[in-house]
Structures are given as structure tokens and as C-alpha cells.
Amino acid sequence: MSPPVASASLDLKYPLWASDFDPLNNNFLIVGGGGGESRTGLGNKITISEVVDIDLSRDEDSVTSLAIASSTATSVTAFAGINSSEKDQNAGKNEHLRSFRLEYPPQRKASSDNSNDTAFQAHKGQTAPLGRASLFMPSTAVRKETFQRITRLSRPSKINGGQLGAIATGLAPEGEIVLFDAKTNGPMGPWVEARLPLGKGVQAEDVDIIELNDSDNSPLGAFAVAYCTDYEVHVCRLTLKQNPNPELQFAYGEPHPDVFAGKARPKFRSLRFITPHLLLLLQNRPNRQGADLLLLELSSTFQGRILGRKTLHRGINAATALSVTHLSSPSSSESSQLVAAVAGQDNSVSIFTLEHANNALFRSLKFKRHILLSSVHSQTITSLSFTTFSPPVATASSAPPLYIKLASTSIGHTVVVHTLPLMLYPPPSQKSSSRRYVLTSPGRSDAATMTLSILISALAIAFGAFILQVFTEVRGGTPEYLGAKGWLSQRLHDYIAIPNILTNGTSIAPFTTANSLSDQVSLTSSSISEHITNTLTDVKSSASDFTDAASSVSSSISEKVTDTFTDVKGSASDFASTAKEILYDSPEEARAAVHSALDAASSAASELNAASEAYSATASLSVSSLSSSATAEASTGHHHIRDLLSRHHRHRRHESSSAIPHMVIHDDEENGKLKAGFHHPGKVDGKEAKRFEDLTKTEKEMWKKRLRDAGVWTVAEGESVLKGVFFGSIAGAVGNAVRGAMARG
């Protein structure tokens, strides 16, 4: 995360259009602007930081561009673009290029009135105009609107101190760039080095200049000049006092879109040299859909190709300004870091860094975002300016902290300066023979860092899921996909794994002695006994309101069930005794005996279910249900006949057809409503209840009407649903069942 950035702002009471820092003194910033001629009521000024205001004529235009040419410890020389008055322009005279010598005020001194106070007194310096000139070709337009939109100066030459300047037109019928020698004492005619005509209706969006070095096989004092229009980038080579007509080279052009993709193309907004063979381009997408930074590599003949692209954040629909500074190293052979700032139409400033080698091929150049400054100004940002970084001679680990400053201006009268702290690289904690200052530590790009973080997180999640799957497989909680049980020793597996569990919750652990086998069999028998007892209790509680005959039948069946259980328990006990005797002789026979005991228990449970069904056949039809495997009976006012039959046959699908109880529908003697129940085939009296197919036509129609009225059958279901269903009173059937049970008792 980037450290917090300190900032200071100032309201100058007039719109600002241009700014530049003194290259030798980072504490002095020059800004210029104004409201133009006096019609707006706003003055035209140049301000040096907050200490010097230079009032300009209200009869002339405002400051549209400016640049510092040279400076000393006490003064600075600057060039500015200021149009003459409208009257002079109509007369064909527009001295748009102005030069000034601005004297710095003395440094603030502490007041001697009170030694404990730190009061400072400011002293204003003097301003001397050096000259003015008209370098553009006279405008042929009826309305004179041409102005000096761009003023750009190169750094003084390291060889002979020469300095090249460039100015470009704005709103001219035919665009033009004029190159001049910025080291002359004043703007006079002979100092013009070259003119670059742009053509009718074409304007330069930006211009930049860089000095060529020895590796380019260029003569002393040679410069490269690059400019961009809306869709093209051009470069030329120029040597002072030698070639007034330099040859322009087409470096790059934005290709025309496909015929079906529309006519809109991205437009170049600004450019800056990084090295003599690498350009940084700022481009706005069509229809205000965003902005991009592009790296353009230039060959020895200035033919360019795009090396990389950085898309600005989504909040920027269009970019308005660009500024760069080079954090050069003490040795020219080492790598350097470029710092670039981009202003967006949302009044934000994005700061990026780019690590590049000074004497190497441009490969794997990646932008790294340092910080996003949101809402820097309340209105549109008009200019950005970085201070010039001069590397210290020695970069010891104990060197004091250094800073670079970024100034931004807006049409809302405000100027904001951000202070960005630099760091030593490699850091002092690492041993290194050479160090340099950087804004962000060189390393992976933002995309690479995010990709690595996502990859590490995914691997951590996958490893956690793998461990969880292995653990659950060993514990027996999931099916085996990995075969993890075979990875552990038997002892460790038995310690971690969960024993096999029966449906009633009783566990059978691995047995090794006869006593443990007996305990397991006894435990299983106890579980069966408990299940049977609970079932009988439920049956008895459900039949509490039965008639005396039904109660006697229940008692008879209960005795039979108890006898059956006693036999099962006795068999289990005998089996346990037998298992003890044979375990020591043959473990295999013991295991077979365990399976035999479990089969016997299962048979006993089946006999219990059959006994329960016999008991349910005599139960009252007012009971809704006894168990999932016993008689199911429900009120016909709540269930369709089709649903009752379907559910009944689904539970009885494993029984023979002769043993499946029949469905009987009859009248309830208490309330006269229809009731339905299932009764054993041998308990249904044919005189009291008849199958539907045995009913007369009149009886069938009567029963169908009653079923429709009760809402348990519809005509759409058809008579096939009613086939096999008995209709009538079951009083006789219940009586016969009671008499048969008493006779057997």
C-alpha cells in the first residue's frame, strides 16, 4: 500500500492554464492564467509560488502556456504564450511569444522581535520583460483566433549548453510548429531554427524534445522532436544552426477501423520522450470510453511499434493532462525509473512508475500503479508539472530522504502540490555497491502480484479440501475416492476411523474374545426386545378405544408376539453360549454364527410385522394409522382413493396378492360420513360388503355420487380406480373377526 501523500493547495482567484517548476529549485513553482481581455473581469497573471504575483495587461489575452528556460540562484527566465489584444490581431500583429526574467524574492528570514516565534517576512522580487515576437505565419481567417497553445523547451545540452524550444498553434486555419533557439537573449527573427507545417485543419496535440546521445551517431547538439496530432505521431532530428528544414518521419498512426466497426478512432492527447528511442503516448478512446498509456518504440529511422499498453481506471472517461519525471541513477548504465502522472476528466490524478534500462533493449516493460489521487480539484485539471530530479553524487544508506513534487492546476483558480517521498533501492538492509532513488520498489507488476495472490489462495483452498477429504474418508463419512484408508497403518486407522453403526445406533466393534462376542449378541437381542416392546406399547395405546371384542383380539395377538420374542431371545442366548464354546476352536465358525444370529433376529422382526398386520385388520376404522408396515386407514374427506391405494400397494409390493388387505368403503354410524379402511381378504364378509364390479348399476351410480360429493373421486379418474374396492357396512366383518378370535382362544 502506498504511503499517505502530503499536499498543499492555494486559491489564486483566477483560472489557471499552465505551470512549470524551476529545474534547479524545487521550491519555486510558476503558474499562469487569467480571464483574457477585460471583458471577463478576471486579471491575467503569472505567479511564482505564493510569494510573487506578476500582473499582466488586462487588454491582452491570458497566459495559455509557459515554460522555464533557465534559472540561477536569484532569478529565472521563462517563455509564455500570450496573445496581443484583439485590436492588434485584427491589424495583423500578434506578438504571442513573450519572455520574462523573474527575480526571486530573498528567502524568508525569522523576525528578531521575539526569539521564540517563527514569523517570516516575504519580500517581493522584480520582473523584467525581455521581449516579445510573432513567430507564427499570419492567419488568413476572417476571425483571428490563433493562439500559442503549446510551449515546450528541452533540457540544456550536457555538451554545449544549447537549448531548443518549440511552440505550436491552436485554432489556426493551418497548424504549425515553430522550433527556435531558447538560449538567445530575446525572441528575434534569426533565432528561428525550423518550421513544421501541419496542414489545413490539423493541430498539434502535444510536442516534446529530447537531446540525442553519442550512441545514436548524432552530431553534437542534436535533438529529436516528436509531436502528435489526433491520429498520428511524427518525429524529426534537428541540430542547432545546421538544418532549417528537417525531414519529418512518420512514426506511428492509429489505423482506420473496419468498415463495419464505425468511423470513430482513438485520439492522441499527449506524448513524452522516455529515451530517444522510447515514447510514452496518452490516448483517449472514442466516445469517452476511457484512456490508455502506450509505449512506442522508435527504430534508428524513427519507425515505431507499440510495445505495451496500460488502461487507466474505469472512472476516467477521458484524460486531460500528462507529465513525467525521470528518477535517473548516478551511473548512466544502470536502470532508471520513470514517474508518470495522468489527469482525468473526473479531476483525479493517477501516478504510475515504469522501470527501464538506459542502455538495453526495451523488453518486458510494465507499468506499476503507485497511487490514485481522487478529487484533487473541484473543476477540470488543466496542467500537471513534476519537479526535476537530480540524483545525489553518493547514495549512502544514511542519506537523507528525498522527494519529488507534483503540481496540478485547474480552471477553478486552484493549484495543488503533492509531495511524493522517494526510497533507496536496494534498501539499506541489503548490501549493495550501488543504490538509487525510486518511488516504488521495482518488482512484479500489479497484474502479476494479483495473479500470484490468487494462485496461492487457490492452492491453499485445494490443499485444505484435500486434507478434509482424506480425513472424512478415513473416518468413513464419505465414499472412497482417494483410497485414503490404505495410506494408514491398521492401528492408526482404527484410532481415527468411526466404528460401523447399526440403524438403531448400536456399534459393533471388532471382537477378539468369546466374552466380547457374547456381549455383542446380547446387546443385539436387547435392542430387538426394546424395539418390539415399543411397538406393542404404540399398538396398545392406539387401540384404547376399541370394543371389548377388539381388546380380546389384541390380548391374544400380544401373547403370540410375546411368545415369539421369548423364543427369539432364547435362541439368541443359546447361540451366545454355543459361540463361546466354538470360538476358541474355530474363529471362522464363530463369525458364521454371528451372521446366523443376525438372520434369526431379522426373521423374528418379520414375524412381528406379520403379527402386527393381523392385529391391525381388526382395528377400528377411526384410527388413522398404526405404523408404516401395518394397516393404513384415513378419512375419505382428506385423501383421494387413488392416493390411498397407491400408497398401500407401494408398502405391500413384496407380499403375495392373496395376502394384501382389501379396501372397504362404508358409512360411519356416528356421523354418517364415508370412511375407508384396509382389511384382510379372509375377514371381509361378502354379504356386508361387495366389490364395485359386483354392485348393481343403481348401486354403482349411488356410490359414485357419494364419492364425488365427498371429494375423494372424480369422473375423470374413471371406474377403473374403483375396481377391487369393497362398498358397504363392515359391522359384520368386524363381528366375524371377533367371534373367530374368541373361538380360537
Side-chain angles (χ1 to χ4, degrees):
M1 182 178 179
S2 302
V5 178
S7 64
S9 61
L10 184 67
D11 190 344
L12 296 179
K13 308 303 181 184
Y14 63 93
L16 302 172
W17 304 107
S19 63
D20 197 11
F21 274 103
D22 183 347
L24 299 182
N25 193 334
N26 294 341
N27 293 323
F28 286 103
L29 170 68
I30 297 179
V31 296
E37 294 192 35
S38 58
R39 290 172 296 181
T40 62
L42 298 174
N44 304 316
K45 293 183 180 181
I46 295 177
T47 301
I48 303 179
S49 298
E50 75 276 13
V51 294
V52 177
D53 280 341
I54 303 170
D55 292 322
L56 303 176
S57 172
R58 288 178 176 265
D59 296 330
E60 295 183 327
D61 202 356
S62 62
V63 179
T64 57
S65 61
L66 62 84
I68 295 178
S70 61
S71 64
T72 64
T74 58
S75 64
V76 61
T77 300
F79 289 92
I82 304 173
N83 272 3
S84 299
S85 64
E86 186 175 352
K87 179 180 178 181
D88 291 342
Q89 292 185 55
N90 293 331
K93 182 181 179 181
N94 182 16
E95 297 175 322
H96 53 83
L97 180 59
R98 315 290 177 92
S99 61
F100 302 89
R101 176 175 287 114
L102 310 175
E103 182 181 346
Y104 287 141
Q107 293 186 355
R108 297 181 179 185
K109 299 179 180 180
S111 175
S112 58
D113 296 339
N114 191 343
S115 58
N116 296 327
D117 296 336
T118 316
F120 292 92
Q121 298 176 347
H123 304 275
K124 292 186 177 181
Q126 296 179 353
T127 302
L130 297 180
R132 58 178 65 192
S134 177
L135 301 186
F136 293 142
M137 297 298 293
S139 175
T140 58
V142 177
R143 185 175 180 181
K144 313 299 182 181
E145 295 181 330
T146 302
F147 69 98
Q148 185 176 313
R149 180 185 180 188
I150 299 171
T151 303
R152 190 82 63 223
L153 301 176
S154 70
R155 292 185 180 182
S157 173
K158 299 177 182 179
I159 299 174
N160 55 16
Q163 191 173 18
L164 182 65
I167 57 175
T169 59
L171 299 180
E174 295 185 4
E176 183 183 17
I177 297 175
V178 178
L179 305 177
F180 62 93
D181 185 359
K183 276 298 182 181
T184 55
N185 293 329
M188 301 178 183
W191 65 327
V192 174
E193 295 288 339
R195 296 181 183 272
L196 305 179
L198 304 180
K200 187 175 182 179
V202 180
Q203 305 293 331
E205 291 295 325
D206 201 2
V207 181
D208 200 23
I209 309 170
I210 191 171
E211 183 182 8
L212 298 177
N213 49 40
D214 298 338
S215 60
D216 301 312
N217 298 321
S218 300
L220 297 178
F223 295 90
V225 180
Y227 71 89
C228 64
T229 61
D230 284 342
Y231 307 112
E232 296 179 353
V233 178
H234 295 266
V235 183
C236 70
R237 183 184 285 110
L238 178 69
T239 303
L240 293 176
K241 310 298 184 183
Q242 292 186 12
N243 48 345
N245 298 311
E247 182 180 358
L248 282 175
Q249 298 289 338
F250 173 81
Y252 180 78
E254 187 62 34
H256 287 274
D258 186 79
V259 67
F260 299 105
K263 298 181 180 180
R265 288 189 290 170
K267 292 184 179 181
F268 295 113
R269 178 63 182 85
S270 186
L271 61 77
R272 291 292 186 274
F273 272 109
I274 300 177
T275 70
H277 296 286
L278 189 63
L279 273 173
L280 178 64
L281 305 175
L282 178 61
Q283 187 180 61
N284 288 326
R285 297 180 183 179
N287 302 321
R288 300 177 66 86
Q289 295 179 352
D292 301 283
L293 286 173
L294 283 71
L295 290 173
L296 181 67
E297 182 184 23
L298 300 175
S299 65
S300 58
T301 58
F302 296 131
Q303 297 298 314
R305 67 184 182 97
I306 298 297
L307 291 181
R309 181 185 299 266
K310 176 66 176 180
T311 301
L312 303 184
H313 73 94
R314 297 180 180 179
I316 294 181
N317 296 330
T320 60
L322 170 69
S323 182
V324 301
T325 188
H326 298 266
L327 303 181
S328 55
S329 57
S331 175
S332 59
S333 61
E334 297 179 0
S335 297
S336 300
Q337 190 171 89
L338 175 83
V339 183
V342 181
Q345 104 296 333
D346 61 345
N347 302 327
S348 67
V349 177
S350 302
I351 300 178
F352 300 90
T353 60
L354 180 69
E355 195 75 12
H356 66 92
N358 294 331
N359 297 321
L361 296 177
F362 304 115
R363 297 176 180 174
S364 303
L365 295 177
K366 299 294 183 182
F367 289 98
K368 192 172 185 180
R369 192 176 78 173
H370 175 65
I371 195 172
L372 172 64
L373 305 174
S374 302
S375 302
V376 177
H377 294 270
S378 60
Q379 298 187 43
T380 303
I381 297 175
T382 55
S383 72
L384 293 174
S385 297
F386 270 114
T387 56
T388 301
F389 176 76
S390 298
V393 177
T395 54
S397 58
S398 59
L402 295 182
Y403 305 88
I404 57 174
K405 296 178 181 179
L406 173 64
S408 57
T409 61
S410 79
I411 61 175
H413 309 174
T414 55
V415 54
V416 178
V417 178
H418 289 87
T419 302
L420 307 174
L422 303 178
M423 66 179 74
L424 279 174
Y425 180 80
S429 59
Q430 299 180 9
K431 294 183 179 180
S432 178
S433 58
S434 61
R435 302 181 190 275
R436 58 190 174 95
Y437 282 92
V438 296
L439 182 61
T440 58
S441 178
R444 301 183 183 91
S445 63
D446 294 341
T449 302
M450 180 176 295
T451 301
L452 182 62
S453 301
I454 294 174
L455 181 60
I456 293 176
S457 300
L459 290 177
I461 294 173
F463 180 75
F466 174 77
I467 295 299
L468 181 61
Q469 177 66 25
V470 170
F471 182 76
T472 52
E473 281 192 18
V474 173
R475 295 277 289 177
T478 60
E480 286 195 54
Y481 296 104
L482 303 176
K485 291 183 178 180
W487 300 351
L488 305 177
S489 63
Q490 186 62 37
R491 182 177 180 183
L492 183 59
H493 175 270
D494 294 341
Y495 178 77
I496 298 177
I498 300 177
N500 295 326
I501 303 297
L502 293 178
T503 55
N504 61 358
T506 304
S507 63
I508 302 180
F511 54 89
T512 57
T513 64
N515 290 332
S516 62
L517 173 63
S518 176
D519 293 341
Q520 295 296 329
V521 173
S522 300
L523 183 59
T524 303
S525 300
S526 300
S527 300
I528 295 174
S529 174
E530 182 180 358
H531 175 70
I532 294 174
T533 303
N534 292 338
T535 303
L536 290 175
T537 301
D538 294 339
V539 170
K540 290 179 181 180
S541 61
S542 302
S544 60
D545 296 332
F546 283 8
T547 61
D548 294 338
S551 297
S552 64
V553 173
S554 175
S555 299
S556 176
I557 294 175
S558 297
E559 291 175 0
K560 291 184 177 182
V561 172
T562 303
D563 294 340
T564 302
F565 164 69
T566 302
D567 294 339
V568 173
K569 186 173 183 181
S571 299
S573 299
D574 294 340
F575 164 74
S577 300
T578 304
K580 288 182 180 181
E581 295 175 2
I582 67 175
L583 179 60
Y584 293 100
D585 297 334
S586 177
E588 296 297 332
E589 294 180 6
R591 292 187 179 91
V594 172
H595 292 296
S596 177
L598 294 176
D599 291 341
S602 178
S603 300
S606 298
E607 292 180 14
L608 174 62
N609 289 337
S612 298
E613 291 173 2
Y615 165 76
S616 301
T618 63
S620 171
L621 297 180
S622 63
V623 180
S624 61
S625 64
L626 293 177
S627 68
S628 61
S629 61
T631 300
E633 181 172 289
S635 172
T636 58
H638 294 83
H639 301 282
H640 274 257
I641 295 176
R642 179 182 57 191
D643 297 337
L644 292 174
L645 288 172
S646 176
R647 185 163 58 248
H648 177 67
H649 287 292
R650 185 167 61 251
H651 292 314
R652 305 284 183 163
R653 63 181 180 273
H654 299 297
E655 301 180 17
S656 62
S657 58
S658 60
I660 298 177
H662 296 312
M663 182 178 187
V664 179
I665 299 176
H666 63 93
D667 291 319
D668 190 346
E669 296 180 357
E670 295 182 0
N671 52 26
K673 294 182 179 180
L674 294 180
K675 301 201 71 176
F678 293 93
H679 301 275
H680 194 274
K683 304 299 182 180
V684 179
D685 191 342
K687 297 180 180 180
E688 299 295 337
K690 296 181 181 180
R691 295 180 184 270
F692 178 78
E693 51 267 31
D694 297 335
L695 296 176
T696 64
K697 184 176 181 180
T698 303
E699 291 175 336
K700 287 181 179 180
E701 295 299 328
M702 178 193 69
W703 279 111
K704 288 194 294 184
K705 182 179 184 304
R706 296 194 63 186
L707 293 175
R708 288 197 305 271
D709 295 342
V712 298
W713 177 82
T714 62
V715 177
E717 293 176 337
E719 294 184 0
S720 60
V721 178
L722 305 178
K723 290 183 179 181
V725 179
F726 286 81
F727 290 86
S729 173
I730 66 166
V734 174
N736 292 337
V738 173
R739 288 192 296 272
M742 293 178 64
R744 287 192 298 273

